Each structure stands twice: as C-alpha cells, then as structure tokens.
Amino acid sequence: PELCRCCARWRSFALAMADVAERFLASVESIGALRKVPAGRLADAEVDAFNDLRSCLIVARKDVSALDGHAVDDMCHVLDFIMRRSQKKASVGRARECLGIVLCSDSWLHAAQSNTDLLSSLKELLADNPEILLKLDAAVPADVLIRPAQIAPRILAEVDVASRSALERQLWSGKQIMASFGFQFPSDVLGDQFDHATDALQRFVTGLTQATNFNKVALERAAIDVLASFSQQEWEGIMNFLWTMYKSGVRDSLHSRIRFVVETLHKLNPSFRVVAEQTRWGPLSCEVTAH
C-alpha cells in the first residue's frame, strides 16, 4: 500500500510537471511572438507574457527538467526578454527571481554561456548572487544541448487524456459563463461581474491556445468536437459577448485576446465562421481582420 501511495504521488507530480512543460512551451512561443505585436499594444503584451512566464517558472522550481527541450536561440531570446524586464524598477525583483529559477537548468545555462553579451549582462545583474555566478562560469555537460524533458511515454499518454478533458472544460465553462450574462458583457468595469465575465474570455483563450500551440492533433480534435456541440444561437451569443466586451473600453491586451479567440474559432468551427464574417461586428468581423 505504501508503495502504491508513492507511485500515485509520483504519477501526480509527473502529470503536473508535464502540464508545466506545455505551459512553459506556450510561454516561450508567446515571447517569440512579441516581435509581431504592434507598438501600441506591445507594453501590455509584454506585461502579460512576463506574468505568464513567471507563473510557469515558480511551479517549475520543483523540477527544472520541465524547462528542457528548447532551441538555444529561443532560450537566449527569453533570457534577453527577462533582462529587459529587469530594467524596469517595478519588475527587477521578479526578473531576478525568474533568472534564479531558469539558470538552475543546465540547458538554460548553456544557452546563456553561448552568447557573450548576454552572459556579461547576466553577470552584471546577478553580481550579488555568488551561487549563480559560479554556475555561469562553470562548464556545462555537452549532453544538455536541447535535452528533452524526461517524462515516461505512459505518463505523457495520460497527460494527453487529462489535457483533452481540461481543454473541453475550459471551452464549455467559458460558454456557460457568457450565457449567465445573457451573452452581453457587463457595463460595470469595476465590479466583481467584470472579473467573472473576463474569466469567460480567459477560459476560451486557455483552451484554444492549448489546442493550437502544442502541435497535438488530439487536442485540436478535442476542441473541434466540443465546439461542434455549440448551437448556432450560442455562436451568435458568444460573438455578441466578445463584441460588447471589445466595445466596452477594456485595455488593449484584452482586445488582442478577443481577436485571438475570434480568429481561432473562425478557423476551427464553420458555424461560428458564418457568424463572424458578418460586417455588423465592425473591426472584429473576420471579413475585416482578414485584410
């Protein structure tokens, strides 16, 4: 029985770390995508990307192998992004915290050592941390070059099942929250209703990101299947919720998330496509956004 409990705890931990690895992959990709964000929306997008990165790293501190498996160029770009965040007074402490976690990984240390300018900047910022300075100067084993995360295939198969279920819950519950508001975004942008309604959008963002960012056919298929269960009337309502939210004066970072949801649903569901291509949605109309 004690052995079974130990196995169960390990399985639970491995599943959690696999989820962190996937979330971290999405975070790395979102930081790379900042290059394409228009200047007017870049500040908010960088704040969101940094917050997502930090939340992943805090969990990954338990097992930094969840951070392995990335190209050296991508790792250098993320490290440079963290360094740039450290130049902002409000973010310097959190940036140092992120570096302290990510540089516990041999593969990320190797990436830092591969770029002379980056390595020099890291040493300057972390000059009061002798432990990390020693790591930055130490030789890293050659086998860490893009080392894949070490998670057993059976565990990964179970993660796919768990991820599919989580994705379906995100999309379904997001729709239910929108329906609870009569598919109309609330006008009070300061109350609890705003937070609850915004959560509906975030659930769609999370589910659709999971379906489209990880190159997993099974997860995209799961998204297509659950979206196919939505009625035409519900699609009208969802689009109206997103449109009224877009017009309500929410910050630019939410505008970009709304557009992401509309454009992704347009690709995945033909019934939504019919609704979204109507010109009455103004700049959210996919006939407009396609040009």
Side-chain angles (χ1 to χ4, degrees):
E2 183 62 32
L3 180 61
C4 290
R5 282 194 293 270
C6 289
C7 290
R9 283 195 294 269
W10 158 245
R11 176 179 173 279
S12 176
F13 176 77
L15 286 169
M17 287 300 102
D19 180 60
V20 171
E22 291 200 341
R23 285 176 53 205
F24 187 69
L25 171 60
S27 180
V28 170
E29 289 177 343
S30 70
I31 291 170
L34 289 172
R35 301 183 183 97
K36 300 178 182 179
V37 175
R41 299 202 300 271
L42 184 59
D44 283 340
E46 286 184 340
V47 170
D48 289 339
F50 181 66
N51 289 339
D52 289 343
L53 174 71
R54 179 171 175 264
S55 68
C56 289
L57 290 176
I58 288 172
V59 180
R61 182 160 31 198
K62 300 174 183 176
D63 182 2
V64 293
S65 68
L67 308 180
D68 290 338
H70 299 274
V72 171
D73 286 348
D74 290 340
M75 291 188 279
C76 286
H77 184 70
V78 172
L79 289 169
D80 181 67
F81 172 73
I82 298 173
M83 288 297 301
R84 285 187 281 112
R85 297 305 302 174
S86 75
Q87 295 170 8
K88 299 184 180 296
K89 187 175 181 180
S91 301
V92 62
R94 288 175 292 166
R96 286 167 58 92
E97 176 189 33
C98 290
L99 290 171
I101 297 169
V102 79
L103 292 175
C104 288
S105 162
D106 284 345
S107 60
W108 285 78
L109 273 174
H110 177 270
Q113 293 171 350
S114 72
N115 185 310
T116 305
D117 291 339
L118 177 60
L119 182 61
S120 176
S121 297
L122 287 167
K123 287 183 176 181
E124 182 179 349
L125 177 63
L126 302 169
D128 60 347
N129 192 324
E131 183 180 352
I132 292 184
L133 290 180
L134 285 173
K135 289 180 179 180
L136 288 170
D137 285 329
V140 176
D143 69 342
V144 304
L145 294 172
I146 319 179
R147 178 188 294 163
Q150 298 300 309
I151 303 172
R154 180 178 61 82
I155 293 293
L156 287 177
E158 293 179 359
V159 170
D160 284 342
V161 173
S163 297
R164 179 185 175 105
S165 178
L167 178 151
E168 292 170 345
R169 286 196 303 272
Q170 292 285 357
L171 297 175
W172 184 264
S173 61
K175 181 197 72 172
Q176 293 299 95
I177 294 173
M178 291 181 183
S180 73
F181 286 97
F183 291 111
Q184 184 89 13
F185 191 76
S187 57
D188 180 8
V189 297
L190 298 176
D192 292 340
Q193 283 194 330
F194 174 84
D195 292 337
H196 191 44
T198 304
D199 183 47
L201 172 71
Q202 187 55 44
R203 289 174 189 238
F204 269 91
V205 170
T206 300
L208 294 174
T209 299
Q210 187 179 17
T212 58
N213 270 14
F214 301 140
N215 298 319
K216 289 188 175 180
V217 175
L219 293 184
E220 183 170 319
R221 184 70 254 171
I224 291 171
D225 288 347
V226 72
L227 296 175
S229 69
F230 294 3
S231 70
Q232 193 67 29
Q233 185 177 4
E234 287 172 328
W235 283 128
E236 291 274 354
I238 289 168
M239 188 66 192
N240 188 68
F241 182 94
L242 295 171
W243 174 229
T244 54
M245 183 179 189
Y246 189 88
K247 295 190 300 178
S248 70
V250 295
R251 64 182 187 272
D252 285 347
S253 62
L254 289 179
H255 279 187
S256 64
R257 295 183 187 192
I258 293 168
R259 281 192 291 269
F260 166 76
V261 169
V262 170
E263 291 166 8
T264 307
L265 290 175
H266 180 266
K267 294 175 184 176
L268 295 179
N269 187 272
S271 296
F272 181 81
R273 198 172 302 138
V274 172
V275 176
E277 290 181 355
Q278 297 172 18
T279 57
R280 61 189 168 115
W281 310 118
L284 278 189
S285 167
C286 287
E287 282 294 297
V288 175
T289 58
H291 292 86

